[in-house]
Amino acid sequence: MNLFSDIRAVLTATIDSLAEAGTLPGGLDLGNVTVEPPRDPSHGDIATNAALVLSKQAKMKPREIADAIAGAITADAAIESADVAGPGFINLRLSADLMRAQVSGVLSAGDTFGDANIGAGRKVNVEYVSANPTGPMHVGHCRGSVFGDALANLLVKTGHDVTREYYINDAGGQIGVLARSAFLRYREALGEDIGEIPEGLYPGDYLVPLGKDLAARHGDTLLAMSEDEWLPIVKTASIDAMMAMIKDDLAALNIHHEVFFSERDLGEPEQQGSKLAEAFDLLESKGLLYTGVLEPPKGKTPDDWEPRPQLLFKATEFGDDVDRPMKKSDGSHTYFAADIAYHLDKYRRGFGEMIDVWGADHAGYIKRMQAAVKALSDGGGSLDVKICQMVKLYRGGEPVKMSKRAGEFVTLRDVVDEVGRDVVRFIMLTRKNDAPLDFDFKAVMEQSKDNPVFYVQYAHARICSVLRLAADDFPDADLSDAALAGVDLASLEDEAELALIKQMAAFPRLVEQAAVAHEPHRIAFYLQELAAGFHALWNKGKDDARLRFIHTDQPGVTMARLALIRAVAITLAAGLHVLGVTPVEEMR
């Protein structure tokens, strides 16, 4: 169910009937016609730009079209009134019966309320987290993890076929650093005094268990080997241990990926049949590679710029600012080349639509990767990159100190263990992904209206409490969703009740908009507004006893109000599930 889609259908039928009557031309393109809430709620329930959009096609003045539509559309029982404003906007007021029917619709839809099929089963790859497997995840990874997972949930809810993917950066120089750090802890586990951790190695205590595990499995045999012999062994063990730690940290946030793709599986450009070789061959066959010298960049010089001939990709032909190196002067491939091969593999796996969630330090990389995807797919594929800005941790306004276990940062697990998964997930979505976010341990645990996660959960818990009280007061009543969907709702007349219904009715449209924009934070914002609407109605009932939810001497009024608030609870739960947050039935 989607109120705005339903009214759009009424509008379309009205325009078609006007065309049949000869008032409007036939065959008008309604693609750019919008049906949305008016900017000023006092103007009505729904506004449409139909007359303005159709004016040029119909070769008529907008006001002339608007007057015709406004005069005809009220014939539908759903429309109470239609007014023309300004140059030709049409403001509609919906019938009270239609608005009340939204309550029954929500109760009938249950968990599926807000579901849509705008994705039509299209395959979408959402790659998120992809933290280097060199240690525990930090709070910066936490934000990208939650954002990516909520976005995946949102796309599933709107009918997309989503694959959640993690790219393991396990082929770079940092893996050698990890292995040497682990080998030091291995020597420590065998009883050697290793002293201070040398500069350039990872100092965190999280490598101590890995060192002990290596000692248990290999004894002192690795000590007799040269570095060339022990390094591959320790690399593999280290990557496995770090990925197990990362997966465990993600599981604490209830995040689970379907695909873990290893960078090592890309191979090398010189390795015939490897994914990297295929990417180079494809770009070569398209005439998109050449040897050249890049101009020195303005401002800060990037790591991949060298004042000598390099193999370059013609990124400028696809919207990038400059062409990009595929190989360094020593003949080794660049990180960019590996990323090209990886995204080519995604595309060949059937993902024409790709979404990558990156940290803020990768913002300058977006244009080149989008250019690469255009080139690889001949324009048939798309890549949307969502940047997650940093998270600053505070405790009562004071910056939080770093974690000894991690060595240099606060871990994701530290945060989850202290405040809980649901709090972390909700708070991480209370700002747009590309805006900085402050996370105060004290503030997020306060039970006040200033704490958004408490405010939303309290609304859901309050409703559950009312329903439990009603079950005691009306022991013979059927309070199931199916039964409440059939009660008479005519007694829902107060402006606060009708406003709450209007807020609920906006949820399906909001879900679709958030999915199209790839912005799950819109759901968190909406839930705060809906919770505020419910709390306002609750407080109104405290001041005016006639508006209280339960009246033991008026079962009909009680059932109508229980139906209303149960529908609110369903809507809150539906939104929380998109965020990956469990709705609570009691506040503790």
mmCIF file with all atom_site columns, all heavy atoms in Angstrom, residues 206-227:
data_model
loop_
_atom_site.group_PDB
_atom_site.id
_atom_site.type_symbol
_atom_site.label_atom_id
_atom_site.label_alt_id
_atom_site.label_comp_id
_atom_site.label_asym_id
_atom_site.label_entity_id
_atom_site.label_seq_id
_atom_site.pdbx_PDB_ins_code
_atom_site.Cartn_x
_atom_site.Cartn_y
_atom_site.Cartn_z
_atom_site.occupancy
_atom_site.B_iso_or_equiv
_atom_site.pdbx_formal_charge
_atom_site.auth_seq_id
_atom_site.auth_comp_id
_atom_site.auth_asym_id
_atom_site.auth_atom_id
_atom_site.pdbx_PDB_model_num
ATOM 1   N N   . TYR A 1 206 ? 46.268 -7.265  20.282 1.00 0.00 ? 206 TYR A N   1
ATOM 2   C CA  . TYR A 1 206 ? 45.420 -8.246  19.595 1.00 0.00 ? 206 TYR A CA  1
ATOM 3   C C   . TYR A 1 206 ? 46.238 -9.300  18.854 1.00 0.00 ? 206 TYR A C   1
ATOM 4   O O   . TYR A 1 206 ? 45.704 -10.356 18.486 1.00 0.00 ? 206 TYR A O   1
ATOM 5   C CB  . TYR A 1 206 ? 44.470 -7.544  18.621 1.00 0.00 ? 206 TYR A CB  1
ATOM 6   C CG  . TYR A 1 206 ? 45.145 -6.808  17.486 1.00 0.00 ? 206 TYR A CG  1
ATOM 7   C CD1 . TYR A 1 206 ? 45.451 -7.459  16.298 1.00 0.00 ? 206 TYR A CD1 1
ATOM 8   C CD2 . TYR A 1 206 ? 45.480 -5.466  17.611 1.00 0.00 ? 206 TYR A CD2 1
ATOM 9   C CE1 . TYR A 1 206 ? 46.082 -6.780  15.259 1.00 0.00 ? 206 TYR A CE1 1
ATOM 10  C CE2 . TYR A 1 206 ? 46.109 -4.783  16.582 1.00 0.00 ? 206 TYR A CE2 1
ATOM 11  C CZ  . TYR A 1 206 ? 46.410 -5.443  15.408 1.00 0.00 ? 206 TYR A CZ  1
ATOM 12  O OH  . TYR A 1 206 ? 47.034 -4.775  14.391 1.00 0.00 ? 206 TYR A OH  1
ATOM 13  N N   . LEU A 1 207 ? 47.530 -9.044  18.630 1.00 0.00 ? 207 LEU A N   1
ATOM 14  C CA  . LEU A 1 207 ? 48.374 -10.020 17.931 1.00 0.00 ? 207 LEU A CA  1
ATOM 15  C C   . LEU A 1 207 ? 48.978 -11.052 18.881 1.00 0.00 ? 207 LEU A C   1
ATOM 16  O O   . LEU A 1 207 ? 49.561 -12.041 18.421 1.00 0.00 ? 207 LEU A O   1
ATOM 17  C CB  . LEU A 1 207 ? 49.485 -9.300  17.170 1.00 0.00 ? 207 LEU A CB  1
ATOM 18  C CG  . LEU A 1 207 ? 49.029 -8.511  15.942 1.00 0.00 ? 207 LEU A CG  1
ATOM 19  C CD1 . LEU A 1 207 ? 50.190 -7.741  15.341 1.00 0.00 ? 207 LEU A CD1 1
ATOM 20  C CD2 . LEU A 1 207 ? 48.415 -9.437  14.893 1.00 0.00 ? 207 LEU A CD2 1
ATOM 21  N N   . VAL A 1 208 ? 48.852 -10.839 20.196 1.00 0.00 ? 208 VAL A N   1
ATOM 22  C CA  . VAL A 1 208 ? 49.404 -11.793 21.160 1.00 0.00 ? 208 VAL A CA  1
ATOM 23  C C   . VAL A 1 208 ? 48.774 -13.185 21.000 1.00 0.00 ? 208 VAL A C   1
ATOM 24  O O   . VAL A 1 208 ? 49.490 -14.196 20.926 1.00 0.00 ? 208 VAL A O   1
ATOM 25  C CB  . VAL A 1 208 ? 49.236 -11.264 22.601 1.00 0.00 ? 208 VAL A CB  1
ATOM 26  C CG1 . VAL A 1 208 ? 49.612 -12.341 23.623 1.00 0.00 ? 208 VAL A CG1 1
ATOM 27  C CG2 . VAL A 1 208 ? 50.073 -10.003 22.800 1.00 0.00 ? 208 VAL A CG2 1
ATOM 28  N N   . PRO A 1 209 ? 47.425 -13.307 20.922 1.00 0.00 ? 209 PRO A N   1
ATOM 29  C CA  . PRO A 1 209 ? 46.838 -14.640 20.726 1.00 0.00 ? 209 PRO A CA  1
ATOM 30  C C   . PRO A 1 209 ? 47.300 -15.298 19.419 1.00 0.00 ? 209 PRO A C   1
ATOM 31  O O   . PRO A 1 209 ? 47.461 -16.528 19.366 1.00 0.00 ? 209 PRO A O   1
ATOM 32  C CB  . PRO A 1 209 ? 45.328 -14.370 20.700 1.00 0.00 ? 209 PRO A CB  1
ATOM 33  C CG  . PRO A 1 209 ? 45.162 -13.092 21.439 1.00 0.00 ? 209 PRO A CG  1
ATOM 34  C CD  . PRO A 1 209 ? 46.379 -12.284 21.119 1.00 0.00 ? 209 PRO A CD  1
ATOM 35  N N   . LEU A 1 210 ? 47.498 -14.497 18.365 1.00 0.00 ? 210 LEU A N   1
ATOM 36  C CA  . LEU A 1 210 ? 47.962 -15.062 17.104 1.00 0.00 ? 210 LEU A CA  1
ATOM 37  C C   . LEU A 1 210 ? 49.370 -15.634 17.263 1.00 0.00 ? 210 LEU A C   1
ATOM 38  O O   . LEU A 1 210 ? 49.675 -16.725 16.762 1.00 0.00 ? 210 LEU A O   1
ATOM 39  C CB  . LEU A 1 210 ? 47.942 -13.988 16.014 1.00 0.00 ? 210 LEU A CB  1
ATOM 40  C CG  . LEU A 1 210 ? 48.536 -14.379 14.652 1.00 0.00 ? 210 LEU A CG  1
ATOM 41  C CD1 . LEU A 1 210 ? 47.876 -15.626 14.090 1.00 0.00 ? 210 LEU A CD1 1
ATOM 42  C CD2 . LEU A 1 210 ? 48.415 -13.209 13.667 1.00 0.00 ? 210 LEU A CD2 1
ATOM 43  N N   . GLY A 1 211 ? 50.230 -14.903 17.996 1.00 0.00 ? 211 GLY A N   1
ATOM 44  C CA  . GLY A 1 211 ? 51.577 -15.411 18.245 1.00 0.00 ? 211 GLY A CA  1
ATOM 45  C C   . GLY A 1 211 ? 51.539 -16.726 19.001 1.00 0.00 ? 211 GLY A C   1
ATOM 46  O O   . GLY A 1 211 ? 52.286 -17.672 18.686 1.00 0.00 ? 211 GLY A O   1
ATOM 47  N N   . LYS A 1 212 ? 50.671 -16.821 19.995 1.00 0.00 ? 212 LYS A N   1
ATOM 48  C CA  . LYS A 1 212 ? 50.545 -18.065 20.774 1.00 0.00 ? 212 LYS A CA  1
ATOM 49  C C   . LYS A 1 212 ? 50.028 -19.204 19.906 1.00 0.00 ? 212 LYS A C   1
ATOM 50  O O   . LYS A 1 212 ? 50.470 -20.357 20.047 1.00 0.00 ? 212 LYS A O   1
ATOM 51  C CB  . LYS A 1 212 ? 49.614 -17.836 21.965 1.00 0.00 ? 212 LYS A CB  1
ATOM 52  C CG  . LYS A 1 212 ? 50.198 -16.902 23.026 1.00 0.00 ? 212 LYS A CG  1
ATOM 53  C CD  . LYS A 1 212 ? 49.213 -16.688 24.173 1.00 0.00 ? 212 LYS A CD  1
ATOM 54  C CE  . LYS A 1 212 ? 49.827 -15.772 25.240 1.00 0.00 ? 212 LYS A CE  1
ATOM 55  N NZ  . LYS A 1 212 ? 48.881 -15.496 26.351 1.00 0.00 ? 212 LYS A NZ  1
ATOM 56  N N   . ASP A 1 213 ? 49.089 -18.885 19.008 1.00 0.00 ? 213 ASP A N   1
ATOM 57  C CA  . ASP A 1 213 ? 48.543 -19.912 18.123 1.00 0.00 ? 213 ASP A CA  1
ATOM 58  C C   . ASP A 1 213 ? 49.619 -20.437 17.169 1.00 0.00 ? 213 ASP A C   1
ATOM 59  O O   . ASP A 1 213 ? 49.712 -21.651 16.925 1.00 0.00 ? 213 ASP A O   1
ATOM 60  C CB  . ASP A 1 213 ? 47.368 -19.345 17.334 1.00 0.00 ? 213 ASP A CB  1
ATOM 61  C CG  . ASP A 1 213 ? 46.716 -20.390 16.436 1.00 0.00 ? 213 ASP A CG  1
ATOM 62  O OD1 . ASP A 1 213 ? 46.198 -21.384 16.977 1.00 0.00 ? 213 ASP A OD1 1
ATOM 63  O OD2 . ASP A 1 213 ? 46.732 -20.212 15.195 1.00 0.00 ? 213 ASP A OD2 1
ATOM 64  N N   . LEU A 1 214 ? 50.430 -19.535 16.633 1.00 0.00 ? 214 LEU A N   1
ATOM 65  C CA  . LEU A 1 214 ? 51.524 -19.954 15.753 1.00 0.00 ? 214 LEU A CA  1
ATOM 66  C C   . LEU A 1 214 ? 52.504 -20.851 16.496 1.00 0.00 ? 214 LEU A C   1
ATOM 67  O O   . LEU A 1 214 ? 52.988 -21.862 15.971 1.00 0.00 ? 214 LEU A O   1
ATOM 68  C CB  . LEU A 1 214 ? 52.248 -18.724 15.198 1.00 0.00 ? 214 LEU A CB  1
ATOM 69  C CG  . LEU A 1 214 ? 51.515 -17.927 14.124 1.00 0.00 ? 214 LEU A CG  1
ATOM 70  C CD1 . LEU A 1 214 ? 52.207 -16.585 13.888 1.00 0.00 ? 214 LEU A CD1 1
ATOM 71  C CD2 . LEU A 1 214 ? 51.462 -18.717 12.806 1.00 0.00 ? 214 LEU A CD2 1
ATOM 72  N N   . ALA A 1 215 ? 52.793 -20.486 17.762 1.00 0.00 ? 215 ALA A N   1
ATOM 73  C CA  . ALA A 1 215 ? 53.708 -21.295 18.575 1.00 0.00 ? 215 ALA A CA  1
ATOM 74  C C   . ALA A 1 215 ? 53.118 -22.675 18.843 1.00 0.00 ? 215 ALA A C   1
ATOM 75  O O   . ALA A 1 215 ? 53.836 -23.696 18.801 1.00 0.00 ? 215 ALA A O   1
ATOM 76  C CB  . ALA A 1 215 ? 54.005 -20.572 19.880 1.00 0.00 ? 215 ALA A CB  1
ATOM 77  N N   . ALA A 1 216 ? 51.802 -22.716 19.109 1.00 0.00 ? 216 ALA A N   1
ATOM 78  C CA  . ALA A 1 216 ? 51.154 -24.007 19.386 1.00 0.00 ? 216 ALA A CA  1
ATOM 79  C C   . ALA A 1 216 ? 51.151 -24.908 18.155 1.00 0.00 ? 216 ALA A C   1
ATOM 80  O O   . ALA A 1 216 ? 51.301 -26.128 18.253 1.00 0.00 ? 216 ALA A O   1
ATOM 81  C CB  . ALA A 1 216 ? 49.733 -23.764 19.874 1.00 0.00 ? 216 ALA A CB  1
ATOM 82  N N   . ARG A 1 217 ? 50.987 -24.314 16.983 1.00 0.00 ? 217 ARG A N   1
ATOM 83  C CA  . ARG A 1 217 ? 50.889 -25.114 15.745 1.00 0.00 ? 217 ARG A CA  1
ATOM 84  C C   . ARG A 1 217 ? 52.254 -25.495 15.168 1.00 0.00 ? 217 ARG A C   1
ATOM 85  O O   . ARG A 1 217 ? 52.400 -26.558 14.573 1.00 0.00 ? 217 ARG A O   1
ATOM 86  C CB  . ARG A 1 217 ? 50.092 -24.336 14.697 1.00 0.00 ? 217 ARG A CB  1
ATOM 87  C CG  . ARG A 1 217 ? 48.593 -24.378 14.916 1.00 0.00 ? 217 ARG A CG  1
ATOM 88  C CD  . ARG A 1 217 ? 47.837 -23.909 13.696 1.00 0.00 ? 217 ARG A CD  1
ATOM 89  N NE  . ARG A 1 217 ? 47.857 -22.460 13.565 1.00 0.00 ? 217 ARG A NE  1
ATOM 90  C CZ  . ARG A 1 217 ? 47.552 -21.805 12.454 1.00 0.00 ? 217 ARG A CZ  1
ATOM 91  N NH1 . ARG A 1 217 ? 47.231 -22.475 11.374 1.00 0.00 ? 217 ARG A NH1 1
ATOM 92  N NH2 . ARG A 1 217 ? 47.575 -20.487 12.424 1.00 0.00 ? 217 ARG A NH2 1
ATOM 93  N N   . HIS A 1 218 ? 53.230 -24.613 15.330 1.00 0.00 ? 218 HIS A N   1
ATOM 94  C CA  . HIS A 1 218 ? 54.510 -24.837 14.657 1.00 0.00 ? 218 HIS A CA  1
ATOM 95  C C   . HIS A 1 218 ? 55.681 -25.050 15.602 1.00 0.00 ? 218 HIS A C   1
ATOM 96  O O   . HIS A 1 218 ? 56.797 -25.348 15.131 1.00 0.00 ? 218 HIS A O   1
ATOM 97  C CB  . HIS A 1 218 ? 54.823 -23.631 13.746 1.00 0.00 ? 218 HIS A CB  1
ATOM 98  C CG  . HIS A 1 218 ? 53.822 -23.419 12.650 1.00 0.00 ? 218 HIS A CG  1
ATOM 99  N ND1 . HIS A 1 218 ? 53.792 -24.173 11.497 1.00 0.00 ? 218 HIS A ND1 1
ATOM 100 C CD2 . HIS A 1 218 ? 52.794 -22.526 12.552 1.00 0.00 ? 218 HIS A CD2 1
ATOM 101 C CE1 . HIS A 1 218 ? 52.806 -23.746 10.722 1.00 0.00 ? 218 HIS A CE1 1
ATOM 102 N NE2 . HIS A 1 218 ? 52.181 -22.758 11.337 1.00 0.00 ? 218 HIS A NE2 1
ATOM 103 N N   . GLY A 1 219 ? 55.427 -24.910 16.906 1.00 0.00 ? 219 GLY A N   1
ATOM 104 C CA  . GLY A 1 219 ? 56.558 -25.020 17.820 1.00 0.00 ? 219 GLY A CA  1
ATOM 105 C C   . GLY A 1 219 ? 57.605 -23.983 17.471 1.00 0.00 ? 219 GLY A C   1
ATOM 106 O O   . GLY A 1 219 ? 57.280 -22.840 17.157 1.00 0.00 ? 219 GLY A O   1
ATOM 107 N N   . ASP A 1 220 ? 58.883 -24.394 17.498 1.00 0.00 ? 220 ASP A N   1
ATOM 108 C CA  . ASP A 1 220 ? 59.944 -23.438 17.151 1.00 0.00 ? 220 ASP A CA  1
ATOM 109 C C   . ASP A 1 220 ? 60.471 -23.643 15.740 1.00 0.00 ? 220 ASP A C   1
ATOM 110 O O   . ASP A 1 220 ? 61.522 -23.106 15.376 1.00 0.00 ? 220 ASP A O   1
ATOM 111 C CB  . ASP A 1 220 ? 61.080 -23.519 18.162 1.00 0.00 ? 220 ASP A CB  1
ATOM 112 C CG  . ASP A 1 220 ? 61.734 -24.913 18.191 1.00 0.00 ? 220 ASP A CG  1
ATOM 113 O OD1 . ASP A 1 220 ? 61.304 -25.801 17.411 1.00 0.00 ? 220 ASP A OD1 1
ATOM 114 O OD2 . ASP A 1 220 ? 62.677 -25.107 18.989 1.00 0.00 ? 220 ASP A OD2 1
ATOM 115 N N   . THR A 1 221 ? 59.719 -24.406 14.915 1.00 0.00 ? 221 THR A N   1
ATOM 116 C CA  . THR A 1 221 ? 60.230 -24.740 13.574 1.00 0.00 ? 221 THR A CA  1
ATOM 117 C C   . THR A 1 221 ? 60.371 -23.516 12.675 1.00 0.00 ? 221 THR A C   1
ATOM 118 O O   . THR A 1 221 ? 61.232 -23.479 11.795 1.00 0.00 ? 221 THR A O   1
ATOM 119 C CB  . THR A 1 221 ? 59.311 -25.761 12.881 1.00 0.00 ? 221 THR A CB  1
ATOM 120 O OG1 . THR A 1 221 ? 57.982 -25.205 12.785 1.00 0.00 ? 221 THR A OG1 1
ATOM 121 C CG2 . THR A 1 221 ? 59.250 -27.068 13.660 1.00 0.00 ? 221 THR A CG2 1
ATOM 122 N N   . LEU A 1 222 ? 59.525 -22.501 12.870 1.00 0.00 ? 222 LEU A N   1
ATOM 123 C CA  . LEU A 1 222 ? 59.601 -21.311 12.016 1.00 0.00 ? 222 LEU A CA  1
ATOM 124 C C   . LEU A 1 222 ? 60.889 -20.538 12.249 1.00 0.00 ? 222 LEU A C   1
ATOM 125 O O   . LEU A 1 222 ? 61.370 -19.819 11.352 1.00 0.00 ? 222 LEU A O   1
ATOM 126 C CB  . LEU A 1 222 ? 58.396 -20.404 12.259 1.00 0.00 ? 222 LEU A CB  1
ATOM 127 C CG  . LEU A 1 222 ? 57.003 -20.982 11.971 1.00 0.00 ? 222 LEU A CG  1
ATOM 128 C CD1 . LEU A 1 222 ? 55.927 -19.926 12.249 1.00 0.00 ? 222 LEU A CD1 1
ATOM 129 C CD2 . LEU A 1 222 ? 56.904 -21.466 10.529 1.00 0.00 ? 222 LEU A CD2 1
ATOM 130 N N   . LEU A 1 223 ? 61.473 -20.681 13.448 1.00 0.00 ? 223 LEU A N   1
ATOM 131 C CA  . LEU A 1 223 ? 62.694 -19.937 13.770 1.00 0.00 ? 223 LEU A CA  1
ATOM 132 C C   . LEU A 1 223 ? 63.865 -20.392 12.909 1.00 0.00 ? 223 LEU A C   1
ATOM 133 O O   . LEU A 1 223 ? 64.788 -19.617 12.638 1.00 0.00 ? 223 LEU A O   1
ATOM 134 C CB  . LEU A 1 223 ? 63.042 -20.102 15.254 1.00 0.00 ? 223 LEU A CB  1
ATOM 135 C CG  . LEU A 1 223 ? 62.046 -19.528 16.261 1.00 0.00 ? 223 LEU A CG  1
ATOM 136 C CD1 . LEU A 1 223 ? 62.505 -19.833 17.689 1.00 0.00 ? 223 LEU A CD1 1
ATOM 137 C CD2 . LEU A 1 223 ? 61.896 -18.021 16.066 1.00 0.00 ? 223 LEU A CD2 1
ATOM 138 N N   . ALA A 1 224 ? 63.818 -21.636 12.493 1.00 0.00 ? 224 ALA A N   1
ATOM 139 C CA  . ALA A 1 224 ? 64.920 -22.183 11.691 1.00 0.00 ? 224 ALA A CA  1
ATOM 140 C C   . ALA A 1 224 ? 64.799 -21.829 10.211 1.00 0.00 ? 224 ALA A C   1
ATOM 141 O O   . ALA A 1 224 ? 65.704 -22.113 9.430  1.00 0.00 ? 224 ALA A O   1
ATOM 142 C CB  . ALA A 1 224 ? 64.976 -23.699 11.856 1.00 0.00 ? 224 ALA A CB  1
ATOM 143 N N   . MET A 1 225 ? 63.672 -21.226 9.831  1.00 0.00 ? 225 MET A N   1
ATOM 144 C CA  . MET A 1 225 ? 63.435 -20.893 8.422  1.00 0.00 ? 225 MET A CA  1
ATOM 145 C C   . MET A 1 225 ? 63.929 -19.480 8.105  1.00 0.00 ? 225 MET A C   1
ATOM 146 O O   . MET A 1 225 ? 63.998 -18.608 8.975  1.00 0.00 ? 225 MET A O   1
ATOM 147 C CB  . MET A 1 225 ? 61.938 -20.965 8.096  1.00 0.00 ? 225 MET A CB  1
ATOM 148 C CG  . MET A 1 225 ? 61.314 -22.326 8.271  1.00 0.00 ? 225 MET A CG  1
ATOM 149 S SD  . MET A 1 225 ? 59.548 -22.242 7.791  1.00 0.00 ? 225 MET A SD  1
ATOM 150 C CE  . MET A 1 225 ? 59.013 -23.901 8.220  1.00 0.00 ? 225 MET A CE  1
ATOM 151 N N   . SER A 1 226 ? 64.232 -19.269 6.826  1.00 0.00 ? 226 SER A N   1
ATOM 152 C CA  . SER A 1 226 ? 64.505 -17.911 6.358  1.00 0.00 ? 226 SER A CA  1
ATOM 153 C C   . SER A 1 226 ? 63.184 -17.156 6.254  1.00 0.00 ? 226 SER A C   1
ATOM 154 O O   . SER A 1 226 ? 62.104 -17.764 6.227  1.00 0.00 ? 226 SER A O   1
ATOM 155 C CB  . SER A 1 226 ? 65.182 -17.954 4.986  1.00 0.00 ? 226 SER A CB  1
ATOM 156 O OG  . SER A 1 226 ? 64.271 -18.453 4.006  1.00 0.00 ? 226 SER A OG  1
ATOM 157 N N   . GLU A 1 227 ? 63.284 -15.822 6.165  1.00 0.00 ? 227 GLU A N   1
ATOM 158 C CA  . GLU A 1 227 ? 62.045 -15.039 6.057  1.00 0.00 ? 227 GLU A CA  1
ATOM 159 C C   . GLU A 1 227 ? 61.246 -15.430 4.827  1.00 0.00 ? 227 GLU A C   1
ATOM 160 O O   . GLU A 1 227 ? 60.014 -15.484 4.874  1.00 0.00 ? 227 GLU A O   1
ATOM 161 C CB  . GLU A 1 227 ? 62.352 -13.534 6.033  1.00 0.00 ? 227 GLU A CB  1
ATOM 162 C CG  . GLU A 1 227 ? 61.068 -12.700 5.962  1.00 0.00 ? 227 GLU A CG  1
ATOM 163 C CD  . GLU A 1 227 ? 61.318 -11.208 6.058  1.00 0.00 ? 227 GLU A CD  1
ATOM 164 O OE1 . GLU A 1 227 ? 61.718 -10.739 7.139  1.00 0.00 ? 227 GLU A OE1 1
ATOM 165 O OE2 . GLU A 1 227 ? 61.091 -10.514 5.047  1.00 0.00 ? 227 GLU A OE2 1
#
